[in-house]
Every structure is written in structure tokens, then in C-alpha cells.
């Protein structure tokens, strides 16, 4: 948006403020005081109900009472055409002097502008050109818009304006409103699927003295009354597993997490996660549940095939399953089962061009993960479960008894991006304490994303955590992929933005 455009907007705002003051003084009419309107039908309902009207036909028996925002006004002497919009759609209005009366028509010409909210009463008709229209008999100005409506927002190169002023974006672009309606359906579908499996929705703290459940950098704050440093949660995992210990059975939560990390098309510091925990289940049960959740969510918005960044996926097909070592062997041509030492792994990493990523202290398991992130992730377009993560990078996951260096864990990838993470949950308190201690050593060595030591969680699983399957799914990314949105900012109503200087 150019500087001249802002100047034009400011001039319109000044003019409209002056008009509002004159409306109050000359007409003794204040559109913001105690104005209500009994809307009895939406615009989409009108379109559906009267779609069979023929050109030049008027249904005088249908007395419609509706409301919305005036998007355009086209004045033609004793007649005015307008476009009325509500949350369901648009429809044309026809104001004619003989129908509304001279006084009301003069009020329309003098005081009503595009952007204003009005209530109308009228009859449905179809024009000679075939446009479904409401022939207005009565109207009431409900709220006056001071700021002008945006024009051609899809043509803006500075998309930040759309994100900063989401209200204007939603006014101008019905397809943006539709994305957020689909988001609501997707999240509702997740709830319906989980509750059909007997899973209880719960709420756990957003503020905590320990930021646990994931390897991430938290936001810090300070509670004055308690005189203690606190953190915004980075995950809900440890609280939900406490509930399983407490015999709450199957539980889940859909809510906000916060991570003090970078912002890009896939990351927002505040994001929505779903986490679910089932006693007497394992990571294979979670794989089956993940497929069911995502497939049902796609169906809830009328899809089985989806397309994102010109890449199509058929969600009716069974998802792929591949171990991390198999993926690295397939895409990087390196067999980690044949690597016998950390030094050998580091040498191969240097040979493969990853030397700049190394400090010289990495284990072969950390390098396996580096190879996966560097050579494999972006290749995983079709939904693919990656299994068998090393214990070293999975502090909350149960070991694979047949290969104790690895775990019963998976990450689900679509379009080269992680959308889910799940384990057979570690319920051995001795093993859990040892892994927390290892994470603590890494944190003390400067790793800000290492997992915090949570003594109370150790106490909880010492009380007995049954065999449990747990999973977290990033809801924003799922919404992105199912709706085709290109950026996470397109599926978060008010994304985090850098303040204007």
C-alpha cells in the first residue's frame, strides 16, 4: 500500500467523522447507541430458498428481514443498487424512492456509505439480467464505518498488511473467511474422532515453573505474588501423562503452546497442538489413530485428495512407514547399521558435506538424525511415518527392546514437514531419571533446548504409569496442508508480527 493510499484513507476517515458528527447533530441519529435488529434469515439462506425465481419475477409474499455490511453503492437518481454481505455470502439490494419513501431515500443518499452495517426488510426478486436481488421496503442504519473498505487486497505485494489488519482481510476476501471456517471444522473433527474413542478433553496449565515435554526454548515471565520465574508451556505432555497416572484414562488437549524460536512460513511462536494419551496402547496404536484423525479431518471439509504447493496427496491410501535408518539409506546412501563408531560417523558426515554442522563431539546417533534432517525430510511428500529414533534424541520414549539404542517412536511427515510426533511412552522411572540427567548435562553445557529436569514428573511415574501411547499433532500445519494455505500465517487469525517502528 503506497503512502498516497494512506493519505487518501486518512482524508476519507476525516470526511466520514465529520459526516457522523453532522448525522448526530442534524438528524439526532446515533448509529452506535442501543441499535438492535432481528435478523431472521442469512443471505446464503435467501439464495438457497429463492434460487428458482425467474427473471423479472418478484415474490411479494416473502417478507425478508436480514442484515449485513454494504460493500458497494451505485446511485442512479431515484434508484440505488448495492451489494450487501454477511458471513455467509453476498446479495444485491435495490432501493427505489417509491418503495422506501422520499424521506428514507434522501437519508440513504446523504448519510449511508459503503462499509456501513444496515438491517433491511424487502421482497426477493430477480432482475431482467438474472441477478437475485432484494427489493428493499425498509432499512435501518445499524453502525457507521469510519474507515474505508480495502480494495483488491489479493493484489497487494505486502502481505503483512493483511496479517496486521486481519479484520480488513476478512472483509475483503471471502476465501480467507472460508479457510478459518474449514479450520474450525478440522479441529471439531479431531474432537469427534477422539471422543468416539472414549477420550476425555482436559485443560492443563499454560504457566509453569518448569517448561517440559519437548526440546525447545521457552518464553520466560515472572509471577510477582509468588516471586518466582515461570514459563509459558512448550508442550502439555508431562501434565497429560500425570493424568494417566491419576487414572483419568484416555485424555487429550487441544490448545496453545509457545516456543521462543524463529518465525517463518512453517513456524509461529504461538501455535496450536493436539496431544493425546491412551493407557494400554503403544506407538503403533498412535500411528493408526493419526491416520484416522487426518483422514476424517479431510473428509470434514469434503476432501480425500489434497493439494499443497502444486503437490497432490491421496489421503485415502495407507500412509507409508519407514525407519530413520532406512530413510537415510534410501535418500543419502549411507548405512548406519554398518557404522561402528562416532569417529567413523563424523568422517562420513564430512565426506557428505556436513562438516560445517559438526563440533567434533557428536555421537553416531546425533549424526544419524543430522543425515535424516539434511537429506530425507524434504523428500517425504506422501504421508510417511518415520520410526526408530535414537534414544539420545528421544528423552521421553520407550526403548526398542530388540535394539536398545533406538526407541518406539515415530514422526509423521507430509510435504516434507513434520506434522506429528508420538511414542510408546517411557514409564520406567529409573530410565527416565537417567535421561533427564543426560538432558540436564546438555543444558548446563549450553544447549538451551535441552529438556528440563522435572522431579515431580519422576515422582508421578514412580507412582506407576501404565503402558501408554502418546502423540502430538501440529494443528496449524494440518490446517495448512488440508486447505492448501501457503503460510502458517494464513491459518492463524492473528499471527505474531514484529511491531511497527
Amino acid at each position: 500500500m503506497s503512502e498516497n493510499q494512506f493519505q487518501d484513507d486518512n482524508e476519507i476517515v476525516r470526511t466520514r467523522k465529520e459526516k457522523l458528527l453532522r448525522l448526530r447533530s442534524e438528524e439526532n441519529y446515533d448509529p452506535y447507541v442501543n441499535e438492535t435488529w432481528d435478523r431472521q434469515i442469512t443471505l446464503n439462506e435467501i439464495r438457497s430458498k429463492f434460487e428458482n425465481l425467474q427473471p423479472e419475477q418478484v415474490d411479494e409474499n416473502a417478507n425478508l428481514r436480514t442484515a449485513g455490511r454494504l460493500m458497494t453503492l451505485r446511485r442512479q437518481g431515484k434508484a440505488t443498487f448495492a451489494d450487501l454481505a454477511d458471513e455467509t455470502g453476498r446479495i444485491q439490494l435495490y432501493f427505489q424512492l417509491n418503495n422506501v419513501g422520499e424521506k428514507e431515500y434522501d437519508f440513504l443518499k446523504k448519510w449511508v456509505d459503503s462499509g456501513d452495517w444496515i438491517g433491511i426488510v424487502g421482497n426477493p426478486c430477480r432482475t431482467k439480467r438474472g441477478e437475485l436481488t432484494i427489493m428493499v421496503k425498509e432499512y435501518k442504519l445499524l453502525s457507521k464505518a469510519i474507515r474505508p473498505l480495502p480494495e483488491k487486497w489479493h493484489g497487494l505485494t505486502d502481505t503483512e498488511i493483511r496479517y496486521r489488519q486481519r479484520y480488513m482481510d476478512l472483509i475483503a476476501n471471502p476465501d480467507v473467511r472460508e479457510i478459518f471456517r474449514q479450520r474450525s471444522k478440522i479441529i471439531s473433527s479431531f474432537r469427534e474422532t477422539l471422543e468416539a474413542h472414549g477420550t476425555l478433553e482436559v485443560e492443563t496449565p499454560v504457566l509453569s515453573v518448569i517448561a517440559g515435554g519437548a526440546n525447545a526454548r521457552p518464553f520466560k515471565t515472572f509471577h510477582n505474588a509468588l516471586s518466582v520465574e515461570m514459563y509459558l508451556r512448550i508442550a502439555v505432555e508431562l501434565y497429560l501423562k500425570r493424568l494417566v497416572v491419576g487414572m483419568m484414562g484416555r485424555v487429550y488437549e487441544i490448545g496453545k503452546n509457545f516456543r521462543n524460536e524463529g518465525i517463518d512460513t512453517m513456524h509461529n511462536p504461538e501455535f496450536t497442538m493436539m496431544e493425546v494419551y491412551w493407557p494400554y496402547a503403544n506407538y503403533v496404536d498412535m500411528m493408526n489413530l493419526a491416520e484416522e484423525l487426518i483422514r476424517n479431518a479431510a473428509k470434514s471439509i469434503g476432501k480425500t485428495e489434497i493439494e499443497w504447493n502444486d503437490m497432490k496427496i491421496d489421503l485415502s491410501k495407507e500412509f507409508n512407514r519407514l525407519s530413520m535408518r532406512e530413510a537415510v539409506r534410501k535418500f543419502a546412501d549411507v548405512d548406519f547399521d554398518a557404522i561402528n563408531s562416532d569417529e567413523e560417523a563424523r568422517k562420513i558426515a564430512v565426506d557428505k558435506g556436513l562438516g560445517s554442522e559438526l563440533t567434533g563431539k557428536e555421537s553416531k546417533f546425533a549424526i544419524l538424525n543430522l543425515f535424516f534432517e539434511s537429506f530425507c525430510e524434504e523428500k517425504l511428500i506422501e504421508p510417511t511415518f518415520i520410526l526408530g529414533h535414537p534414544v539420545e534424541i528421544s528423552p521421553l520414549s520407550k526403548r526398542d527392546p530388540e535394539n536398545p539404542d533406538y526407541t518406539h517412536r515415530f514422526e509423521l511427515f507430509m510435504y516434507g514437514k513434520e506434522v506429528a510426533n508420538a511414542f510408546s511412552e517411557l514409564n520406567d522411572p529409573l530410565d527416565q531419571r537417567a535421561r533427564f540427567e543426560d538432558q540436564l548435562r546438555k543444558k548446563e553445557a549450553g544447549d538451551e533446548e535441552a529438556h528440563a529436569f522435572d522431579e515431580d514428573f519422576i515422582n508421578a511415574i514412580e507412582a506407576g504409569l501404565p503402558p501408554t501411547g502418546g502423540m502430538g499433532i501440529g494443528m496449524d500445519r494440518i490446517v495448512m496442508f488440508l486447505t492448501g494455505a501457503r503460510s502458517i500465517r494464513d491459518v492463524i487469525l492473528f499471527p505474531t508480527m514484529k511491531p511497527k517502528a
Side-chain angles (χ1 to χ4, degrees), residues 128-145:
K128 185 184 296 185
R129 295 184 178 181
E131 180 72 21
L132 184 62
T133 301
I134 299 175
M135 187 176 293
V136 179
K137 297 190 299 184
E138 303 172 28
Y139 75 91
K140 188 177 188 68
L141 176 61
L142 302 177
S143 181
K144 190 137 193 66

Side-chain angles (χ1 to χ4, degrees), residues 16 32 69 113-117 143-149:
R16 288 198 177 188
Y32 309 124
R69 185 193 290 274
D113 298 295
S114 62
D116 293 351
W117 293 85
S143 181
K144 190 137 193 66
I146 300 300
R147 190 162 295 280
L149 295 178

Side-chain angles (χ1 to χ4, degrees), residues 425-478:
E425 300 296 334
L426 178 60
N427 60 348
D428 177 344
L430 303 181
D431 192 357
Q432 183 65 82
R433 180 178 291 277
R435 294 200 216 175
F436 274 174
E437 289 171 347
D438 178 63
Q439 291 289 306
L440 182 60
R441 285 190 290 271
K442 291 179 178 178
K443 186 176 286 289
E444 290 172 347
D447 184 351
E448 294 182 344
E449 295 186 359
H451 201 287
F453 193 103
D454 189 335
E455 186 67 50
D456 183 71
F457 179 68
I458 298 291
N459 291 344
I461 62 173
E462 284 178 345
L465 175 66
T468 299
M471 174 170 60
I473 294 182
M475 298 305 299
D476 304 305
R477 288 189 185 178
I478 289 294

Side-chain angles (χ1 to χ4, degrees), residues 167-178:
Y167 45 91
M168 289 295 195
D169 188 26
L170 294 168
I171 292 169
N173 299 317
D175 57 326
V176 174
R177 298 201 298 269
E178 181 58 24

Side-chain angles (χ1 to χ4, degrees), residues 92-370:
Q92 181 171 263
L93 303 181
Y94 175 55
F95 298 86
Q96 211 273 337
L97 185 148
N98 293 335
N99 289 336
V100 299
E102 185 173 355
K103 180 180 178 181
E104 293 302 318
Y105 193 77
D106 287 344
F107 186 96
L108 177 77
K109 289 198 300 181
K110 187 172 183 180
W111 303 112
V112 178
D113 298 295
S114 62
D116 293 351
W117 293 85
I118 68 166
I120 65 112
V121 177
N123 303 116
C125 66
R126 196 172 291 279
T127 66
K128 185 184 296 185
R129 295 184 178 181
E131 180 72 21
L132 184 62
T133 301
I134 299 175
M135 187 176 293
V136 179
K137 297 190 299 184
E138 303 172 28
Y139 75 91
K140 188 177 188 68
L141 176 61
L142 302 177
S143 181
K144 190 137 193 66
I146 300 300
R147 190 162 295 280
L149 295 178
E151 295 181 6
K152 298 180 181 178
W153 280 62
H154 278 308
L156 288 176
T157 55
D158 185 0
T159 55
E160 285 203 3
I161 296 175
R162 290 179 50 222
Y163 301 140
R164 289 185 188 279
Q165 299 180 16
R166 180 68 86 185
Y167 45 91
M168 289 295 195
D169 188 26
L170 294 168
I171 292 169
N173 299 317
D175 57 326
V176 174
R177 298 201 298 269
E178 181 58 24
I179 283 177
F180 288 104
R181 289 195 179 93
Q182 289 181 347
R183 179 189 174 104
S184 180
K185 290 179 181 178
I186 289 165
I187 292 175
S188 293
S189 170
F190 266 63
R191 286 192 165 98
E192 290 168 6
T193 300
L194 290 165
E195 287 165 15
H197 284 287
T199 316
L200 179 70
E201 183 171 15
V202 297
E203 294 180 310
T204 61
V206 172
L207 279 176
S208 178
V209 294
I210 295 176
N215 293 78
R217 182 185 299 173
F219 286 94
K220 297 180 182 180
T221 186
F222 191 83
H223 193 288
N224 292 329
L226 295 177
S227 190
V228 63
E229 189 175 71
M230 301 189 79
Y231 303 90
L232 292 178
R233 69 185 182 194
I234 57 176
V236 299
E237 176 169 345
L238 302 189
Y239 280 111
L240 293 185
K241 286 196 280 193
R242 284 174 170 93
L243 297 181
V244 177
V245 169
M247 301 178 68
M248 290 292 289
R250 295 180 172 187
V251 292
Y252 80 97
E253 182 168 7
I254 297 176
K256 295 290 189 181
N257 288 347
F258 307 85
R259 297 183 183 178
N260 197 354
E261 298 167 351
I263 297 177
D264 57 32
T265 58
M266 287 288 159
H267 298 87
N268 193 69
E270 177 182 358
F271 59 98
T272 302
M273 284 286 291
M274 185 286 302
E275 291 204 33
V276 57
Y277 294 85
W278 284 1
Y280 322 117
N282 62 21
Y283 78 124
V284 176
D285 298 306
M286 292 297 107
M287 277 191 275
N288 296 333
L289 178 61
E291 284 200 39
E292 184 181 0
L293 285 165
I294 294 170
R295 193 170 290 124
N296 287 351
K299 289 178 181 177
S300 75
I301 58 172
K303 297 180 179 180
T304 54
E305 292 187 358
I306 60 173
E307 182 174 351
W308 185 78
N309 275 3
D310 300 320
M311 296 178 286
K312 293 183 179 180
I313 287 176
D314 184 355
L315 292 175
S316 66
K317 296 179 180 179
E318 186 175 340
F319 292 5
N320 300 322
R321 301 186 182 191
L322 199 64
S323 77
M324 182 179 284
R325 284 166 288 162
E326 288 170 338
V328 169
R329 191 158 52 240
K330 179 178 179 179
F331 295 113
D333 195 28
V334 176
D335 184 359
F336 269 78
D337 287 330
I339 295 175
N340 298 313
S341 69
D342 299 342
E343 293 77 10
E344 184 182 355
R346 290 195 288 267
K347 181 179 184 303
I348 293 173
V350 171
D351 293 342
K352 286 286 187 175
L354 300 178
S356 62
E357 305 287 332
L358 303 180
T359 64
K361 298 179 181 179
E362 291 82 3
S363 70
K364 77 169 188 176
F365 303 110
I367 294 173
L368 168 63
N369 188 55
L370 175 62

